[in-house]
Amino acid sequence: MADTSLALLFRSSLDIRIGLIAVALVWPAPLNGRAQDNYEFTWKSFPTGTTASLRGLAVASGNSSSQSSLDELVLWACGSQGTVVRSLDGGRHWQDVSVAAFAELEFRSLHAFSEREVVVASAGYPAVIMRTMDGGKSWQMAHQVADKRAFFDALRFADSQQGLVVGD
């Protein structure tokens, strides 16, 4: 059973940015039949097909009510150049669902509600929060701050109606 997942951005020896997601499956290592506080990590790397620098990762519940394997997870990632990518199969295949209208922005944080609904927040001017409810086919602006000094660092939601955003 997976307890957590982590994202990393790897760089090639030529310093070319390659979008890559590395997911760790974590579970307690049993000792004498009892779960312990020690955890074992198994790493798998998944190329996303983008050269963007990825900054945010979110896991959505997908179609299944109980996630029993990595293959069932819906993953969303965001980053530079207005990039948003989505995987419906635990990272094996990725779709580019980027926000074309804001290709110059870096999306630093996102929150996934489902395989179709996600919000992303930009770091830079204009400071925007964008939302899709159709898996990235279309994007709507949910919020914008006109001050050129503002940008968003992170956002989290308690439910589909209530959330928090942290910014400078």
Side-chain angles (χ1 to χ4, degrees):
M1 174 188 281
D3 293 332
T4 189
S5 59
L6 305 170
L8 299 175
L9 177 71
F10 294 97
R11 294 177 191 244
S12 73
S13 60
L14 298 175
D15 200 34
I16 299 172
R17 292 173 188 249
I18 299 172
L20 190 67
I21 301 293
V23 179
L25 298 179
V26 184
W27 60 92
L31 180 63
N32 298 327
R34 295 179 46 223
Q36 301 296 312
D37 291 334
N38 300 327
Y39 292 91
E40 295 181 20
F41 293 87
T42 302
W43 292 93
K44 293 183 179 181
S45 296
F46 299 100
T48 61
T50 182
T51 58
S53 177
L54 299 175
R55 302 287 186 211
L57 175 69
V59 179
S61 61
N63 291 325
S64 172
S65 61
S66 65
Q67 301 298 324
S68 60
S69 77
L70 179 63
D71 293 341
E72 297 175 12
L73 295 178
V74 174
L75 307 173
W76 292 83
C78 64
S80 63
Q81 303 163 344
T83 299
V84 180
V85 291
R86 174 181 77 152
S87 172
L88 300 175
D89 58 8
R92 288 183 300 153
H93 302 93
W94 291 86
Q95 300 168 303
D96 184 345
V97 294
S98 296
V99 185
F102 290 103
E104 73 284 358
L105 289 181
E106 177 180 313
F107 289 112
R108 185 166 290 178
S109 184
L110 72 165
H111 183 94
F113 297 100
S114 70
E115 67 183 49
R116 299 180 52 79
E117 186 177 2
V118 71
V119 292
V120 296
S122 70
Y125 182 78
V128 298
I129 298 174
M130 302 295 293
R131 182 179 205 146
T132 183
M133 297 181 75
D134 58 10
K137 293 177 187 171
S138 64
W139 292 90
Q140 298 77 40
M141 187 179 303
H143 187 71
Q144 180 176 9
V145 175
D147 188 333
K148 290 186 178 187
R149 299 171 297 169
F151 70 88
F152 300 125
D153 292 304
L155 72 133
R156 294 293 177 264
F157 281 77
D159 56 41
S160 64
Q161 300 297 313
Q162 301 178 68
L164 302 168
V165 64
V166 176
D168 296 339

